[in-house]
Amino acid sequence: MECPGSIRMSEGIPSTSSAFADEGTAAHELAAYCMENGYNAERFAGWWVNIDGKKTSQKFLETDEEATAVKARVFEVDDEMVESVQVYLDYLRSHIKPDDEVDVEFRFDLTHVADGMFGTGDCVIYQPEKRHLIVADFKYGRGVAVDPDDNPQLLSYGLGAIKRHGNRPLATVSLVVVQPRCRHPAGPVREWGTDVFGLFEFEEKLRAAALATAEPHAPLNAGDWCRFCPA
C-alpha cells in the first residue's frame, strides 16, 4: 500500500528470514501451543522451540542436548519469552467466555479482495452475545512499536475474520496488538475498535492498492517500510 512498485522490484528475489524473525516465530509457536492445549508458558521454561519442521517432527525439545542433536533452527524458552507469551495468553483468556468461538493461527482467505491474497491471524475470538470480534496480533519484536489504530495489516486481518464469520451476527470489531517487549505509552496491549462498515471501506482501499501493484510502471515510494522490503 505504501509502495506499489515494490512488488515488481521484489520479483525473483528469494524470501529470507532473520534471527529476529525466527525468534518471533518460536514465540508464536509457543503461544499457539499453549492456547490450543490450555498451558501456561512457564511449563516450557528452559525448553527449546524447533521452528524448522523439515529437520525433525519434534517441535518442543526438553534439553540443550536434544536441541543440538536435531541441528535445526531452535530457540530457548528463556524468562523473557515466558513472560511475553504469558502476557498474550492472559489477555486472550480474560476475554474468552464458554460460548465464544476461538481460532488460533488461522489463515484468512482474502482472495475476494485480490487473487492470491491471504493473512494469518494469531487469534480471533467471536463473541456471539456481543456480536463482536476480537482480532489479536502477537508482536514479539522489540524494535518497532506497532499501533492498532487504522493499521492496514490488522484491518486486513479484520476483513478475513468477518469473511470467516460471515454467517454470524456481527456488529463491531476490536483490533488488538500485544507487544510486551517494546515500550509504548499505552502499555503492552493496545486496542482499537471499528465496525463492519469501517472494514468494508478499508476493503476498497486495499483492493485499489493491490490493483496498483500490477501496473507496469507502478511508482516507488521510499520510507520506513523499506526495512521490510526484499528489494
Side-chain angles (χ1 to χ4, degrees):
M1 295 184 77
E2 299 289 358
C3 178
S6 65
I7 302 301
R8 179 184 72 251
M9 295 291 290
S10 299
E11 288 181 0
I13 299 177
S15 178
T16 59
S17 185
S18 67
F20 301 110
D22 288 346
E23 183 184 41
T25 298
H28 276 77
E29 291 276 11
L30 176 62
Y33 192 79
C34 287
M35 271 299 296
E36 291 170 339
N37 294 278
Y39 295 135
N40 286 326
E42 188 178 14
R43 174 189 175 93
F44 298 96
W47 287 40
W48 297 74
V49 185
N50 168 31
I51 65 168
D52 195 343
K54 297 178 181 178
K55 296 290 185 180
T56 174
S57 60
Q58 289 179 279
K59 185 175 291 187
F60 296 98
L61 309 166
E62 292 190 61
T63 67
D64 191 0
E65 289 77 13
E66 286 181 324
T68 302
V70 300
K71 296 181 180 179
R73 288 182 295 165
V74 294
F75 292 84
E76 184 179 7
V77 182
D78 57 16
D79 291 343
E80 189 173 31
M81 187 179 291
V82 167
E83 293 171 7
S84 299
V85 169
Q86 196 61 46
V87 169
Y88 173 66
L89 297 174
D90 289 345
Y91 169 82
L92 296 177
R93 290 167 179 168
S94 71
H95 286 76
I96 297 173
K97 295 183 178 180
D99 292 335
D100 292 351
E101 299 177 26
V102 181
D103 290 310
V104 177
E105 290 295 325
F106 178 75
R107 179 167 168 136
F108 298 125
D109 176 15
L110 293 169
T111 53
H112 66 291
V113 178
D115 289 343
M117 188 175 287
F118 68 94
T120 303
D122 296 333
C123 187
V124 175
I125 304 168
Y126 173 63
Q127 301 174 317
E129 184 179 344
K130 299 180 180 178
R131 297 187 302 159
H132 183 68
L133 271 176
I134 297 174
V135 181
D137 193 34
F138 177 44
K139 302 286 190 186
Y140 194 61
R142 66 167 83 245
V144 181
V146 179
D147 285 304
D149 303 37
D150 279 319
N151 183 296
Q153 180 189 19
L154 288 177
L155 285 165
S156 66
Y157 290 174
L159 284 176
I162 63 172
K163 181 179 181 181
R164 158 79 167 165
H165 296 85
N167 61 341
R168 318 283 208 285
L170 183 60
T172 54
V173 180
S174 289
L175 304 179
V176 183
V177 169
V178 182
Q179 191 176 19
R181 299 205 304 166
C182 190
R183 294 181 64 86
H184 191 283
V189 180
R190 281 93 72 182
E191 300 183 29
W192 184 74
T194 186
D195 56 26
V196 174
F197 298 105
L199 287 171
F200 287 153
E201 290 176 0
F202 172 75
E203 182 178 318
E204 293 307 311
K205 296 178 183 178
L206 184 62
R207 181 176 290 110
L211 291 174
T213 67
E215 295 294 329
H217 303 289
L220 297 168
N221 183 29
D224 291 345
W225 44 87
C226 290
R227 77 185 74 184
F228 303 112
C229 177

